[in-house]
Amino acid sequence: MIKKWLRPFEEIAGNQRYMITGIWIILVIGYWVISSLGTKHLFPTPVQVAGGLRSLYNEGLVVHIVSSLLLCFKAAFISIIISLLIVYLSPIPLLKPIALFFSKLRFLPLTGITFYLSILVSNARQMQVWVLVIFMSLYFITSLLAVLKDIPEEEIDHARSLKCSRWEVLWEVVIKGRLDYALDVLRQNLAIIWMMLVTVESILVAAGGLGVLIKNSDKFANHGRIVALQIVILLIGLLLDWILQTLRKGLFRYSTF
Amino acid sequence: MDITDSAQGPFPLFYILIKMTIAYEQKDTILHVESLSIAYGDKVIISDISFTEKDTIRKDKVQGQTIAFVGRSGRGKSTLFKALTGLEQPTTGVVLIPDFSQSITNGNQPAKKVREGDVGFVNQKYTLFRHKTIYQALQFSLRNSSISASEKQEKIMKYLADWGLEQCKNQYPNELSGGQKQRTAILEQLLNSNYYMVLDEPFSGLDVGNILNVKESFRLVNESHELNTIIFSTHDIELAVELADSVYVVGYPKNNNGTLNRTGTILKHFDLKEMGLAWQGEFTDKHLDVAKEIKSIMLDS
Ligand SMILES: Nc1ncnc2c1ncn2[C@@H]1O[C@H](COP(=O)(O)OP(=O)(O)OP(=O)(O)O)[C@@H](O)[C@H]1O
Ligand SMILES: [Mg+2]
């Protein structure tokens, strides 16, 4: 059995896969417990983390999570609409440079953008939303452009030969035919956004959110809390990822990638 | 014809003669290709392609046209088809088809350059809409048709049954076998196109039954309107000779020094109508001779 586990490309049964995952989890947790046994340790002990989690909960962890999620959804919603519009119009030669320009802008540093935004937007919450929107959009546009580019010419030709006008080709092949890809682009880039969210939230403490909690914990150098928070953020991120993945597979039966 | 030399009795001789010479007439031009060439960048793929096909009229029978293109792999059949369907702009030359939107002037149907959508096209890879089930795809093909919704449904269901696709009518392309995809692609064009349909290797990957389906559909298309024209390519030379009334061999021509000029063109045209081999409904020894000749031309190209 062990020999099979070590052979490249070997197909193994489902319960054995769970077993392997289980072994790894036990190893990691075991390492964590053992490494935090001594007096000097890098990681807080599981007990400290549990304590951190409890104190976070008492400070309204759930409210902060909801606040973060709302910010994330709001920004994602605005930005996916803007990006889809820009990208879906990019097959029009006149409008193509717009999409390419925004895609290149993703190399701009965050600080520069926040500076200009703070001149334009006075409300700090608005500012958070727009910083996220701008960043998300740049990544969305880049990924969506790649999806468009990967559409085989035969698919376009197939639609053309069925008497589709060019606008119909755009609608059928690019927009309707690649909706599942758009959802997957959202999923893939959500990780970047979820990570950035924490940073952006610390711009404005009053608005709350997970970023604020991290910042506060940082101040007190409370490792138990920081690790607890990080685990929470990681799990929520994974949950979002899983939801979007399941949504895509559920909505689009033909989406098998 | 060598039939006269054979030692057969008078009755069979008479019978064969009737069978061999099917009377036909040729009228208006339905497809005219002139000095067509296509180059991708500096690479000339096909050049000097010129041919004309005319509307065939048979007495007492509606007869469309079936034109086959054969040639070895990579000689430019698919590239030529892209030009014939208006999907690729020719580098030089033109592809003309009759413009039925204009009325006949001086006894001639005015011609126009072929544009995308004028000619139905089933490509070699049987591309379909990835987000439409077979049924939805066929519905989409009929979207511009003037018949009522229930008539559309009836028509689609009839085709699905005839073509053995009823079971999988709600499946997406990624859930279909190659042959099922191919038949769907052909059906889409059958429901959508007007007179012309170009099929790139419609017989590859089909089982014996499916091949009969496609042959049968060719016959139906041919008999439903005299202007209906099927253009197809195949690597099955016998099949091309059996089905087509006009066969073109595409290949590399020889240079003066005997080497191959690596640009595809038409090497030879067999007008099977003229040869008395068209519409026989069976594969005879004569057909076999033509197939042999075609193969030897191909091997030299
Ligand atoms: N987009 C392209 N750019 C450059 N060369 C191309 C392109 N498409 C096709 N070719 C070349 O054109 C030649 C003819 O290709 P084509 O697909 O027309 O051949 P074919 O006769 O249909 O072959 P097969 O029987 O294998 O389908 C090939 O040598 C191919 O490499
Ligand atoms: Mg080909």
Side-chain angles (χ1 to χ4, degrees):
Chain A
M1 190 171 74
I2 300 293
K3 215 167 151 189
K4 267 187 147 187
W5 287 9
L6 289 171
R7 195 152 93 220
F9 305 110
E10 188 66 28
E11 290 279 348
I12 53 169
N15 51 0
Q16 290 194 27
R17 271 208 305 276
Y18 290 127
M19 222 158 108
I20 292 178
T21 316
I23 290 174
W24 276 105
I25 291 176
I26 291 168
L27 278 178
V28 169
I29 292 178
Y31 175 76
W32 180 17
V33 172
I34 292 167
S35 67
S36 58
L37 278 182
T39 41
K40 259 183 71 179
H41 47 75
L42 190 61
F43 276 122
T45 62
V47 179
Q48 280 175 314
V49 172
L53 192 63
R54 206 172 314 116
S55 89
L56 282 171
Y57 183 77
N58 291 335
E59 277 172 46
L61 176 66
V62 179
V63 178
H64 286 290
I65 289 177
V66 171
S67 160
S68 285
L69 282 177
L70 280 180
L71 175 61
C72 184
F73 290 159
K74 194 170 173 188
F77 182 74
I78 300 175
S79 107
I80 195 88
I81 295 215
I82 296 175
S83 320
L84 287 177
L85 201 69
I86 292 176
V87 171
Y88 284 160
L89 291 177
S90 72
I92 302 168
L94 183 70
L95 301 181
K96 182 154 202 132
I98 301 178
L100 291 180
F101 172 74
F102 280 117
S103 164
K104 301 279 181 275
L105 268 191
R106 70 189 187 282
F107 291 106
L108 267 190
L110 182 67
T111 37
I113 290 185
T114 49
F115 174 74
Y116 285 108
L117 261 183
S118 62
I119 300 173
L120 290 171
V121 186
S122 51
N123 178 334
R125 181 73 181 183
Q126 286 295 74
M127 166 111 165
Q128 288 181 337
V129 172
W130 283 102
V131 169
L132 281 179
V133 165
I134 289 173
F135 266 85
M136 272 192 208
S137 304
L138 301 183
Y139 283 97
F140 281 159
I141 289 173
T142 308
S143 310
L144 284 169
L145 279 177
V147 169
L148 250 67
K149 214 174 149 202
D150 280 345
I151 297 179
E153 203 185 310
E154 289 94 34
E155 277 190 51
I156 311 265
D157 283 349
H158 166 251
R160 287 165 70 199
S161 74
L162 284 172
K163 298 195 173 61
C164 286
S165 71
R166 294 294 173 90
W167 290 100
E168 261 181 303
V169 175
L170 183 66
W171 172 243
E172 287 294 337
V173 179
V174 176
I175 300 183
K176 272 168 77 184
R178 290 292 184 282
L179 261 187
D180 54 328
Y181 280 87
L183 199 61
D184 200 58
V185 162
L186 177 67
R187 180 183 71 81
Q188 286 183 13
N189 289 301
L190 211 63
I192 303 172
I193 301 314
W194 190 238
M195 222 172 65
M196 205 179 306
L197 183 87
V198 178
T199 320
V200 170
E201 274 179 337
S202 50
I203 301 173
L204 174 69
V205 180
L210 294 168
V212 176
L213 283 182
I214 280 233
K215 203 173 175 187
N216 286 346
S217 315
D218 226 8
K219 220 157 40 198
F220 306 121
N222 185 332
H223 290 294
R225 274 176 60 120
I226 293 180
V227 171
L229 247 181
Q230 274 177 326
I231 292 176
V232 168
I233 293 175
L234 176 74
L235 288 182
I236 296 175
L238 287 178
L239 183 70
L240 287 178
D241 189 88
W242 178 81
I243 290 174
L244 284 175
Q245 179 92 333
T246 313
L247 201 64
R248 173 169 68 80
K249 301 252 175 191
L251 287 178
F252 310 103
R253 206 174 83 213
Y254 51 85
S255 190
T256 48
F257 55 88
Chain B
M1 249 170 248
D2 57 5
I3 299 163
T4 41
D5 304 333
S6 69
Q8 277 164 319
F11 180 72
L13 176 70
F14 174 73
Y15 174 75
I16 290 169
L17 273 174
I18 295 286
K19 196 163 187 234
M20 295 297 287
T21 45
I22 291 175
Y24 68 96
E25 226 185 303
Q26 296 219 291
K27 263 175 55 184
D28 306 334
T29 299
I30 49 156
L31 177 63
H32 180 73
V33 177
E34 183 141 347
S35 353
L36 179 78
S37 75
I38 288 195
Y40 292 121
D42 287 341
K43 196 176 165 208
V44 183
I45 309 292
I46 49 174
S47 73
D48 284 326
I49 299 212
S50 303
F51 62 90
T52 303
E53 284 289 337
K54 293 200 151 102
D55 182 14
T56 306
I57 308 287
R58 265 172 82 182
K59 230 180 153 191
D60 307 325
K61 190 168 166 65
V62 175
Q63 182 65 59
Q65 290 66 233
T66 309
I67 305 161
F69 283 83
V70 297
R72 298 187 64 184
S73 180
R75 301 303 193 262
K77 299 181 297 295
S78 301
T79 308
L80 171 64
F81 282 1
K82 282 188 120 183
L84 293 184
T85 49
L87 293 173
E88 187 82 54
Q89 284 305 312
T91 308
T92 67
V94 282
V95 177
L96 297 174
I97 57 171
D99 185 356
F100 295 107
S101 67
Q102 294 188 47
S103 51
I104 296 174
T105 43
N106 305 331
N108 278 325
Q109 189 78 53
K112 64 166 186 176
K113 280 191 188 178
V114 72
R115 278 199 322 252
E116 62 187 63
D118 287 339
V119 176
F121 182 46
V122 179
N123 78 12
Q124 214 169 336
K125 295 178 192 159
Y126 349 123
T127 311
L128 297 166
F129 290 115
R130 64 187 285 277
H131 64 291
K132 289 189 196 296
T133 61
I134 296 187
Y135 189 83
Q136 289 166 344
L138 298 186
Q139 245 180 347
F140 186 78
S141 289
L142 284 175
R143 71 196 184 287
N144 296 329
S145 156
S146 54
I147 61 177
S148 74
S150 63
E151 280 174 308
K152 281 182 192 174
Q153 185 183 350
E154 223 166 90
K155 193 168 180 176
I156 294 174
M157 289 314 293
K158 173 150 187 0
Y159 271 111
L160 289 177
D162 287 349
W163 287 57
L165 291 169
E166 224 171 4
Q167 303 294 321
C168 42
K169 68 178 197 303
N170 293 322
Q171 276 163 241
Y172 289 101
N174 70 311
E175 302 163 335
L176 299 174
S177 77
Q180 289 166 339
K181 276 194 253 184
Q182 174 151 10
R183 278 174 283 152
T184 309
I186 295 175
L187 276 185
E188 271 188 335
Q189 300 293 346
L190 270 182
L191 294 177
N192 187 267
S193 62
N194 358 37
Y195 298 128
Y196 299 87
M197 191 152 87
V198 172
L199 304 109
D200 202 356
E201 301 193 18
F203 296 101
S204 69
L206 297 185
D207 68 30
V208 272
N210 300 154
I211 289 180
L212 284 181
N213 280 136
V214 177
K215 275 167 134 180
E216 178 67 9
S217 71
F218 276 23
R219 197 179 60 80
L220 285 174
V221 171
N222 263 319
E223 291 179 357
S224 58
H225 198 287
E226 61 165 71
L227 286 174
N228 278 357
T229 303
I230 291 171
I231 301 172
F232 72 102
S233 71
T234 180
H235 288 295
D236 186 336
I237 313 303
E238 282 82 10
L239 200 58
V241 174
E242 180 189 337
L243 292 180
D245 55 72
S246 178
V247 178
Y248 292 90
V249 185
V250 177
Y252 295 152
K254 281 235 166 71
N255 291 325
N256 290 335
N257 59 7
T259 58
L260 287 179
N261 171 6
R262 306 190 73 80
T263 304
T265 192
I266 290 177
L267 296 177
K268 195 160 166 98
H269 174 216
F270 294 86
D271 188 341
L272 299 175
K273 302 181 285 295
E274 209 177 283
M275 299 163 82
L277 294 178
W279 316 307
Q280 297 289 312
E282 60 177 348
F283 193 80
T284 65
D285 287 351
K286 298 264 175 205
H287 288 95
L288 189 63
D289 292 341
V290 177
K292 276 185 187 150
E293 190 182 346
I294 291 177
K295 283 181 192 172
S296 83
I297 298 172
M298 282 170 63
L299 283 174
D300 280 339
S301 69

CSV table of all heavy atoms in Angstrom, one decimal, chain B residues 60-98:
chain,number,residue,atom,x,y,z
B,60,ASP,N,-37.4,15.2,-65.0
B,60,ASP,CA,-38.2,14.4,-64.1
B,60,ASP,C,-37.6,14.2,-62.7
B,60,ASP,O,-38.1,13.3,-62.0
B,60,ASP,CB,-38.6,13.0,-64.7
B,60,ASP,CG,-39.1,13.1,-66.1
B,60,ASP,OD1,-39.8,14.1,-66.3
B,60,ASP,OD2,-38.8,12.3,-66.9
B,61,LYS,N,-36.6,14.9,-62.3
B,61,LYS,CA,-36.0,14.6,-61.0
B,61,LYS,C,-35.3,15.9,-60.5
B,61,LYS,O,-34.6,16.5,-61.2
B,61,LYS,CB,-35.0,13.5,-61.1
B,61,LYS,CG,-34.5,13.0,-59.8
B,61,LYS,CD,-33.8,11.7,-60.0
B,61,LYS,CE,-33.0,11.3,-58.7
B,61,LYS,NZ,-33.7,11.0,-57.5
B,62,VAL,N,-35.6,16.2,-59.3
B,62,VAL,CA,-34.8,17.3,-58.6
B,62,VAL,C,-33.4,16.8,-58.3
B,62,VAL,O,-33.3,15.8,-57.6
B,62,VAL,CB,-35.5,17.8,-57.3
B,62,VAL,CG1,-34.7,18.9,-56.7
B,62,VAL,CG2,-36.9,18.3,-57.7
B,63,GLN,N,-32.4,17.5,-58.8
B,63,GLN,CA,-31.1,17.0,-58.6
B,63,GLN,C,-30.2,18.2,-58.1
B,63,GLN,O,-29.9,19.1,-58.9
B,63,GLN,CB,-30.5,16.4,-59.9
B,63,GLN,CG,-29.1,15.8,-59.8
B,63,GLN,CD,-29.1,14.7,-58.8
B,63,GLN,OE1,-29.8,13.7,-59.0
B,63,GLN,NE2,-28.3,14.8,-57.7
B,64,GLY,N,-29.7,18.1,-56.9
B,64,GLY,CA,-28.7,19.1,-56.4
B,64,GLY,C,-27.3,18.7,-56.9
B,64,GLY,O,-27.2,17.8,-57.7
B,65,GLN,N,-26.3,19.3,-56.3
B,65,GLN,CA,-24.9,19.0,-56.7
B,65,GLN,C,-24.2,18.5,-55.5
B,65,GLN,O,-24.4,19.0,-54.4
B,65,GLN,CB,-24.2,20.3,-57.2
B,65,GLN,CG,-24.7,20.8,-58.5
B,65,GLN,CD,-26.1,21.4,-58.5
B,65,GLN,OE1,-27.0,21.0,-59.3
B,65,GLN,NE2,-26.4,22.2,-57.5
B,66,THR,N,-23.3,17.5,-55.7
B,66,THR,CA,-22.5,17.0,-54.7
B,66,THR,C,-21.0,17.1,-55.2
B,66,THR,O,-20.7,16.5,-56.2
B,66,THR,CB,-22.8,15.6,-54.3
B,66,THR,OG1,-24.2,15.5,-54.1
B,66,THR,CG2,-22.0,15.1,-53.1
B,67,ILE,N,-20.2,17.8,-54.5
B,67,ILE,CA,-18.9,18.1,-55.0
B,67,ILE,C,-17.9,17.6,-53.9
B,67,ILE,O,-18.0,18.0,-52.8
B,67,ILE,CB,-18.6,19.6,-55.3
B,67,ILE,CG1,-19.7,20.1,-56.3
B,67,ILE,CG2,-17.2,19.8,-55.8
B,67,ILE,CD1,-19.9,21.6,-56.2
B,68,ALA,N,-16.9,16.8,-54.3
B,68,ALA,CA,-16.0,16.3,-53.4
B,68,ALA,C,-14.6,16.8,-53.6
B,68,ALA,O,-14.2,17.1,-54.8
B,68,ALA,CB,-15.9,14.7,-53.4
B,69,PHE,N,-13.9,17.1,-52.5
B,69,PHE,CA,-12.5,17.5,-52.6
B,69,PHE,C,-11.6,16.4,-51.9
B,69,PHE,O,-11.9,16.1,-50.8
B,69,PHE,CB,-12.2,18.8,-52.0
B,69,PHE,CG,-12.7,20.0,-52.8
B,69,PHE,CD1,-14.0,20.4,-52.9
B,69,PHE,CD2,-11.8,20.6,-53.7
B,69,PHE,CE1,-14.4,21.4,-53.7
B,69,PHE,CE2,-12.2,21.7,-54.5
B,69,PHE,CZ,-13.5,22.1,-54.5
B,70,VAL,N,-10.7,15.9,-52.6
B,70,VAL,CA,-9.8,14.9,-52.0
B,70,VAL,C,-8.4,15.3,-52.2
B,70,VAL,O,-8.0,16.1,-53.0
B,70,VAL,CB,-10.0,13.5,-52.6
B,70,VAL,CG1,-11.4,12.9,-52.4
B,70,VAL,CG2,-9.6,13.5,-54.1
B,71,GLY,N,-7.5,14.8,-51.3
B,71,GLY,CA,-6.1,15.2,-51.4
B,71,GLY,C,-5.4,14.8,-50.1
B,71,GLY,O,-6.1,14.6,-49.1
B,72,ARG,N,-4.1,14.7,-50.2
B,72,ARG,CA,-3.4,14.2,-49.0
B,72,ARG,C,-3.4,15.3,-47.9
B,72,ARG,O,-3.8,16.4,-48.1
B,72,ARG,CB,-2.0,13.9,-49.4
B,72,ARG,CG,-2.0,12.8,-50.4
B,72,ARG,CD,-0.6,12.3,-50.7
B,72,ARG,NE,0.0,11.7,-49.5
B,72,ARG,CZ,1.3,11.3,-49.4
B,72,ARG,NH1,2.1,11.4,-50.5
B,72,ARG,NH2,1.7,10.7,-48.3
B,73,SER,N,-3.1,14.8,-46.7
B,73,SER,CA,-3.1,15.7,-45.5
B,73,SER,C,-2.2,16.9,-45.7
B,73,SER,O,-1.1,16.8,-46.2
B,73,SER,CB,-2.7,14.9,-44.3
B,73,SER,OG,-2.8,15.6,-43.2
B,74,GLY,N,-2.7,18.0,-45.3
B,74,GLY,CA,-2.0,19.2,-45.3
B,74,GLY,C,-1.8,19.9,-46.6
B,74,GLY,O,-1.1,20.9,-46.8
B,75,ARG,N,-2.6,19.5,-47.6
B,75,ARG,CA,-2.5,20.1,-48.9
B,75,ARG,C,-3.4,21.3,-49.1
B,75,ARG,O,-3.4,21.9,-50.1
B,75,ARG,CB,-2.8,19.1,-50.0
B,75,ARG,CG,-1.9,17.8,-50.0
B,75,ARG,CD,-0.5,18.2,-50.2
B,75,ARG,NE,0.4,17.1,-50.5
B,75,ARG,CZ,1.1,16.4,-49.6
B,75,ARG,NH1,1.0,16.7,-48.3
B,75,ARG,NH2,1.9,15.4,-50.0
B,76,GLY,N,-4.2,21.6,-48.1
B,76,GLY,CA,-5.0,22.8,-48.1
B,76,GLY,C,-6.5,22.7,-48.3
B,76,GLY,O,-7.1,23.7,-48.7
B,77,LYS,N,-7.0,21.5,-48.1
B,77,LYS,CA,-8.5,21.3,-48.3
B,77,LYS,C,-9.3,22.2,-47.3
B,77,LYS,O,-10.2,23.0,-47.7
B,77,LYS,CB,-8.9,19.9,-48.1
B,77,LYS,CG,-8.3,18.9,-49.1
B,77,LYS,CD,-8.7,17.5,-48.9
B,77,LYS,CE,-8.3,16.9,-47.5
B,77,LYS,NZ,-6.9,16.8,-47.3
B,78,SER,N,-8.9,22.1,-46.0
B,78,SER,CA,-9.6,22.9,-45.0
B,78,SER,C,-9.4,24.4,-45.3
B,78,SER,O,-10.4,25.2,-45.1
B,78,SER,CB,-9.1,22.5,-43.6
B,78,SER,OG,-9.3,21.2,-43.4
B,79,THR,N,-8.3,24.8,-45.7
B,79,THR,CA,-8.0,26.2,-46.0
B,79,THR,C,-8.9,26.7,-47.1
B,79,THR,O,-9.5,27.7,-47.0
B,79,THR,CB,-6.5,26.4,-46.3
B,79,THR,OG1,-5.7,25.8,-45.3
B,79,THR,CG2,-6.2,27.8,-46.4
B,80,LEU,N,-9.0,25.9,-48.2
B,80,LEU,CA,-9.9,26.2,-49.3
B,80,LEU,C,-11.3,26.3,-48.8
B,80,LEU,O,-12.0,27.3,-49.2
B,80,LEU,CB,-9.7,25.1,-50.4
B,80,LEU,CG,-10.7,25.2,-51.5
B,80,LEU,CD1,-10.5,26.5,-52.3
B,80,LEU,CD2,-10.6,24.0,-52.4
B,81,PHE,N,-11.7,25.4,-47.9
B,81,PHE,CA,-13.1,25.5,-47.5
B,81,PHE,C,-13.4,26.8,-46.7
B,81,PHE,O,-14.5,27.3,-46.7
B,81,PHE,CB,-13.4,24.2,-46.6
B,81,PHE,CG,-13.7,23.0,-47.4
B,81,PHE,CD1,-13.6,23.0,-48.8
B,81,PHE,CD2,-14.0,21.8,-46.8
B,81,PHE,CE1,-13.8,21.9,-49.6
B,81,PHE,CE2,-14.2,20.7,-47.5
B,81,PHE,CZ,-14.1,20.7,-48.9
B,82,LYS,N,-12.4,27.2,-46.0
B,82,LYS,CA,-12.6,28.5,-45.2
B,82,LYS,C,-12.8,29.6,-46.1
B,82,LYS,O,-13.6,30.5,-45.8
B,82,LYS,CB,-11.4,28.7,-44.3
B,82,LYS,CG,-11.4,27.9,-43.0
B,82,LYS,CD,-10.3,28.4,-42.1
B,82,LYS,CE,-10.9,28.8,-40.8
B,82,LYS,NZ,-9.9,29.3,-39.8
B,83,ALA,N,-12.2,29.6,-47.3
B,83,ALA,CA,-12.4,30.6,-48.3
B,83,ALA,C,-13.8,30.5,-48.9
B,83,ALA,O,-14.5,31.4,-49.2
B,83,ALA,CB,-11.3,30.6,-49.3
B,84,LEU,N,-14.2,29.2,-49.2
B,84,LEU,CA,-15.4,29.0,-49.9
B,84,LEU,C,-16.6,29.4,-49.0
B,84,LEU,O,-17.7,29.8,-49.5
B,84,LEU,CB,-15.6,27.5,-50.2
B,84,LEU,CG,-14.7,26.9,-51.3
B,84,LEU,CD1,-15.1,25.4,-51.5
B,84,LEU,CD2,-14.8,27.7,-52.6
B,85,THR,N,-16.4,29.3,-47.7
B,85,THR,CA,-17.5,29.7,-46.8
B,85,THR,C,-17.5,31.1,-46.4
B,85,THR,O,-18.3,31.6,-45.5
B,85,THR,CB,-17.5,28.8,-45.5
B,85,THR,OG1,-16.1,28.8,-45.0
B,85,THR,CG2,-17.8,27.4,-45.8
B,86,GLY,N,-16.5,31.9,-46.9
B,86,GLY,CA,-16.4,33.3,-46.5
B,86,GLY,C,-15.8,33.5,-45.1
B,86,GLY,O,-15.9,34.6,-44.6
B,87,LEU,N,-15.3,32.5,-44.5
B,87,LEU,CA,-14.8,32.7,-43.2
B,87,LEU,C,-13.3,33.2,-43.2
B,87,LEU,O,-12.9,33.8,-42.3
B,87,LEU,CB,-14.8,31.3,-42.4
B,87,LEU,CG,-16.2,30.8,-42.1
B,87,LEU,CD1,-16.1,29.4,-41.5
B,87,LEU,CD2,-16.9,31.7,-41.1
B,88,GLU,N,-12.7,33.0,-44.3
B,88,GLU,CA,-11.3,33.5,-44.5
B,88,GLU,C,-11.3,34.4,-45.8
B,88,GLU,O,-11.9,34.0,-46.8
B,88,GLU,CB,-10.4,32.4,-44.7
B,88,GLU,CG,-8.9,32.7,-44.7
B,88,GLU,CD,-8.3,32.9,-43.3
B,88,GLU,OE1,-8.5,32.0,-42.5
B,88,GLU,OE2,-7.8,34.0,-43.1
B,89,GLN,N,-10.8,35.6,-45.7
B,89,GLN,CA,-10.7,36.4,-46.9
B,89,GLN,C,-9.6,35.9,-47.8
B,89,GLN,O,-8.5,35.6,-47.3
B,89,GLN,CB,-10.4,37.9,-46.5
B,89,GLN,CG,-11.5,38.6,-45.9
B,89,GLN,CD,-12.7,38.6,-46.8
B,89,GLN,OE1,-12.6,38.9,-48.0
B,89,GLN,NE2,-13.9,38.3,-46.3
B,90,PRO,N,-9.9,35.7,-49.1
B,90,PRO,CA,-8.8,35.2,-50.0
B,90,PRO,C,-7.7,36.3,-50.1
B,90,PRO,O,-7.9,37.5,-50.0
B,90,PRO,CB,-9.5,35.1,-51.3
B,90,PRO,CG,-10.9,35.2,-51.1
B,90,PRO,CD,-11.1,35.9,-49.8
B,91,THR,N,-6.4,35.8,-50.2
B,91,THR,CA,-5.3,36.7,-50.4
B,91,THR,C,-5.4,37.3,-51.8
B,91,THR,O,-5.2,38.5,-52.0
B,91,THR,CB,-4.0,36.0,-50.2
B,91,THR,OG1,-4.0,35.3,-48.9
B,91,THR,CG2,-2.8,37.0,-50.2
B,92,THR,N,-5.7,36.5,-52.8
B,92,THR,CA,-6.0,37.0,-54.1
B,92,THR,C,-7.2,36.2,-54.6
B,92,THR,O,-7.5,35.1,-54.1
B,92,THR,CB,-4.8,36.7,-55.1
B,92,THR,OG1,-4.7,35.3,-55.3
B,92,THR,CG2,-3.6,37.3,-54.6
B,93,GLY,N,-7.8,36.7,-55.7
B,93,GLY,CA,-8.9,35.9,-56.3
B,93,GLY,C,-10.3,36.1,-55.6
B,93,GLY,O,-10.4,36.8,-54.6
B,94,VAL,N,-11.3,35.5,-56.2
B,94,VAL,CA,-12.6,35.7,-55.6
B,94,VAL,C,-13.4,34.3,-55.6
B,94,VAL,O,-13.1,33.4,-56.3
B,94,VAL,CB,-13.5,36.7,-56.4
B,94,VAL,CG1,-13.2,38.1,-56.1
B,94,VAL,CG2,-13.5,36.3,-57.9
B,95,VAL,N,-14.4,34.3,-54.7
B,95,VAL,CA,-15.3,33.2,-54.7
B,95,VAL,C,-16.7,33.8,-54.9
B,95,VAL,O,-17.1,34.7,-54.1
B,95,VAL,CB,-15.3,32.5,-53.3
B,95,VAL,CG1,-16.4,31.4,-53.3
B,95,VAL,CG2,-14.0,31.9,-53.0
B,96,LEU,N,-17.4,33.5,-56.0
B,96,LEU,CA,-18.6,34.1,-56.3
B,96,LEU,C,-19.8,33.0,-56.3
B,96,LEU,O,-19.6,31.9,-56.7
B,96,LEU,CB,-18.6,34.7,-57.8
B,96,LEU,CG,-17.6,35.8,-58.0
B,96,LEU,CD1,-17.6,36.1,-59.5
B,96,LEU,CD2,-17.9,37.0,-57.2
B,97,ILE,N,-20.9,33.5,-55.7
B,97,ILE,CA,-22.1,32.7,-55.7
B,97,ILE,C,-23.2,33.6,-56.2
B,97,ILE,O,-23.1,34.8,-56.2
B,97,ILE,CB,-22.4,32.1,-54.3
B,97,ILE,CG1,-22.6,33.3,-53.3
B,97,ILE,CG2,-21.4,31.1,-53.8
B,97,ILE,CD1,-23.1,32.8,-52.0
B,98,PRO,N,-24.3,32.9,-56.7
B,98,PRO,CA,-25.4,33.8,-57.2
B,98,PRO,C,-26.0,34.6,-56.1
B,98,PRO,O,-26.1,34.1,-54.9
B,98,PRO,CB,-26.4,32.7,-57.7
B,98,PRO,CG,-25.7,31.4,-57.8
B,98,PRO,CD,-24.6,31.5,-56.8
